[in-house]
């Protein structure tokens, strides 16, 4: 799932009624996403909405049980890009972003996302999330699963206040997300194209929630129906593009750029897009043949094989093809913005397309 950059150290402050620390929203988060907001009024609106989201997030996970509150706030306090609330805030700019339902809609999206992270960490047996110990490593798998369930319940509760359509959309989005996770867990069936299967998984696991986030922004900002539909299409496509670009960065970047050790997915045997393209290749040159031989062995825990595969992938036609795929998704996302009126909010969404196309080139 699209995630990663933790808010810079020192950007925390107390907030009355928040029940604890609150992440101070700043324009540094926009830079982490490659987002360009040229209009001060739009920037102030988006920042104000995101500040409201931070306050409401902490209030929404509070429980009569102090342990549940602590565990539920664990990832909220860890920070993050808040990409989904950001898209709600940007989508609302095409209507009335001051509508009182915009912030709760963004909270529903972020709570749903956070809930999936608790479950993901159990499935992945992760030790760290957003630079902090994962909930399952700090407590237990059972606690992490139950806290994730609690966050889903809180998201549904807030959605109920937004109306039946919000509940229906959140439920259907969650269903798509689960289908994507199941498809990833089961893997492609005999006769399935592994690349097509992988793209479907990403659309379900990642694109669906980002699509609904953009849709919620339009809906609760009161944008025209055709604009809301355009935002939803853009959200799904840009979500897939972001995830695919992360695949490439795992191969192509150095740790100082990506924030993690290069080739982590290779070491863990995660079949990302460049790997799938390499395995599907019928190139007969010695480098391509050798790369397929190594990748076919599964997780590359041997340091020498891992280094060899990483070097071969970086120079392979498969990586070039993956870059072209990412760029095509970024351009498709841009095209889906065409029904929207020109202005700073649209230019901000277009800047995300530019960022994705450039970060992996």
């Amino acid at each position: 799932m699209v995630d990663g950059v933790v808010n810079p150290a020192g950007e925390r402050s107390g907030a009355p009624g928040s029940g604890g620390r609150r992440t101070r929203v700043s324009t540094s988060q926009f830079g982490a996403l490659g987002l360009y907001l040229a209009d001060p009024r739009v920037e102030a609106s988006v920042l104000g909405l995101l500040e409201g989201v931070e306050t409401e997030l902490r209030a929404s996970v509070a429980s009569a049980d102090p342990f549940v509150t602590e565990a539920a706030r664990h990832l909220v306090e860890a920070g993050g890009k808040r990409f989904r609330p950001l898209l709600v805030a940007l989508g609302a700019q095409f209507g009335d972003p001051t509508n009182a339902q915009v912030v709760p809609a963004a909270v529903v999206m972020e709570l749903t996302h956070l809930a999936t992270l608790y479950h993901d960490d159990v499935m992945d047996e992760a030790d760290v999330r957003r630079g902090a110990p994962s909930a399952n490593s700090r407590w237990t798998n059972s606690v992490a699963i139950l806290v994730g369930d609690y966050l889903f319940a809180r998201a549904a509760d807030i959605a109920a206040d937004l109306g039946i359509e919000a509940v229906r959309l959140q439920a259907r989005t969650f269903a798509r997300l689960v289908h994507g996770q199941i498809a990833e867990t089961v893997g492609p069936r005999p006769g399935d194209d592994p690349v097509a299967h992988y793209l479907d998984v990403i659309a379900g696991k990642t694109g669906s929630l980002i699509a609904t986030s953009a849709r919620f922004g339009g809906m609760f900002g009161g944008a025209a129906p055709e604009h809301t539909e355009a935002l939803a299409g853009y959200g799904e496509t840009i979500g897939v593009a972001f995830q695919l670009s992360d695949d490439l960065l795992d191969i192509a970047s150095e740790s100082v750029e990506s924030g993690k050790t290069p080739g982590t997915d290779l070491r863990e045997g995660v079949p990302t897009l460049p790997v799938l393209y390499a395995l599907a290749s019928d190139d007969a040159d010695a480098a391509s043949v050798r790369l397929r031989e190594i990748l076919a062995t599964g997780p590359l825990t041997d340091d020498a094989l891992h280094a060899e595969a990483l070097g071969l992938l970086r120079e392979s036609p498969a990586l070039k093809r993956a870059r072209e795929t990412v760029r095509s998704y970024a351009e498709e996302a841009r095209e889906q913005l065409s029904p929207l009126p020109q202005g700073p909010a649209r230019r901000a969404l277009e800047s995300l397309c530019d960022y994705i196309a450039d970060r992996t080139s």
Side-chain angles (χ1 to χ4, degrees):
M1 297 192 177
V2 176
D3 196 28
V5 176
V6 178
N7 293 325
E11 294 198 351
R12 296 187 185 277
S13 63
S18 69
R21 296 182 301 166
R22 178 171 63 83
T23 303
R24 183 184 300 129
V25 178
S26 76
T27 54
S28 63
Q29 289 172 257
F30 301 158
L33 288 164
L35 181 70
Y36 178 63
L37 284 171
D39 188 291
R41 290 171 298 178
V42 172
E43 182 177 292
S45 172
V46 171
L47 285 171
L49 289 169
L50 293 179
E51 287 278 6
V53 169
E54 292 301 318
T55 300
E56 292 301 318
L57 270 177
R58 281 152 184 78
S60 68
V61 300
S63 166
D65 185 328
F67 175 77
V68 174
T69 300
E70 179 188 7
R73 282 187 174 156
H74 181 64
L75 285 184
V76 173
E77 297 288 355
K81 292 175 183 174
R82 301 291 191 249
F83 185 48
R84 291 146 193 85
L86 175 61
L87 280 187
V88 175
L90 286 171
Q93 304 302 315
F94 295 93
D96 178 10
T98 66
N99 188 302
Q101 292 183 311
V102 173
V103 167
V107 171
V108 169
M109 292 292 93
E110 187 66 8
L111 284 176
T112 303
H113 171 58
L114 291 173
T116 67
L117 299 185
Y118 280 84
H119 289 178
D120 278 354
D121 286 344
V122 172
M123 296 186 68
D124 298 341
E125 299 179 347
D127 295 324
V128 177
R129 167 70 69 175
R130 293 178 171 175
S134 61
N136 52 301
S137 65
R138 180 172 175 180
W139 292 291
T140 64
N141 282 345
S142 295
V143 167
I145 291 169
L146 292 169
V147 170
D149 292 344
Y150 172 69
L151 295 182
F152 279 127
R154 292 297 300 127
D157 192 9
I158 297 169
D161 291 332
L162 298 174
I164 190 169
E165 186 63 15
V167 174
R168 180 180 292 112
L169 283 169
Q170 195 259 356
R172 289 178 176 176
T173 301
F174 184 33
R176 278 196 68 197
L177 198 154
V178 172
H179 271 283
Q181 184 65 68
I182 291 172
E184 180 181 58
T185 302
V186 173
R189 294 179 173 85
D192 286 351
D193 175 8
V195 172
H197 175 269
Y198 182 66
L199 294 174
D200 285 343
V201 165
I202 293 177
K205 280 188 59 179
T206 300
S208 63
L209 191 57
I210 295 175
T212 301
S213 298
R215 181 185 294 278
F216 268 18
M219 278 178 57
F220 294 107
E226 62 270 23
H227 295 163
T228 298
E229 288 300 320
L231 286 165
Y234 167 86
E236 176 143 349
T237 308
I238 205 72
V240 173
F242 252 115
Q243 184 59 61
L244 293 178
S245 67
D246 280 351
D247 287 358
L248 270 65
L249 288 177
D250 182 66
I251 299 297
S253 71
E254 299 300 331
S255 57
V256 292
E257 299 173 64
S258 64
K260 67 176 184 177
T261 304
T264 297
D265 292 332
L266 276 178
R267 192 173 294 279
E268 296 175 356
V270 177
T272 57
L273 189 65
V275 169
L276 291 171
Y277 277 153
L279 287 170
S281 167
D282 57 4
D283 293 337
D285 60 283
S288 296
V289 171
R290 176 57 179 162
L291 179 57
R292 288 197 297 272
E293 289 175 353
I294 300 173
L295 294 177
T297 64
L300 298 177
T301 55
D302 180 86
D303 288 343
L305 281 178
H306 178 270
E308 184 181 1
L310 190 60
L312 289 169
L313 259 179
R314 286 175 170 173
E315 301 299 324
S316 70
L319 186 62
K320 179 181 178 182
R321 184 179 177 189
R323 284 194 173 109
E324 292 169 351
T325 300
V326 171
R327 187 173 292 275
S328 71
Y329 271 95
E331 290 307 312
E332 181 183 345
R334 188 194 308 277
E335 291 170 8
Q336 288 170 327
L337 294 172
S338 60
L340 298 174
Q342 291 287 350
R346 176 170 164 177
R347 288 195 294 274
L349 294 173
E350 289 171 340
S351 71
L352 294 177
C353 302
D354 294 332
Y355 173 67
I356 291 172
D358 292 342
R359 78 194 288 235
T360 54
S361 61

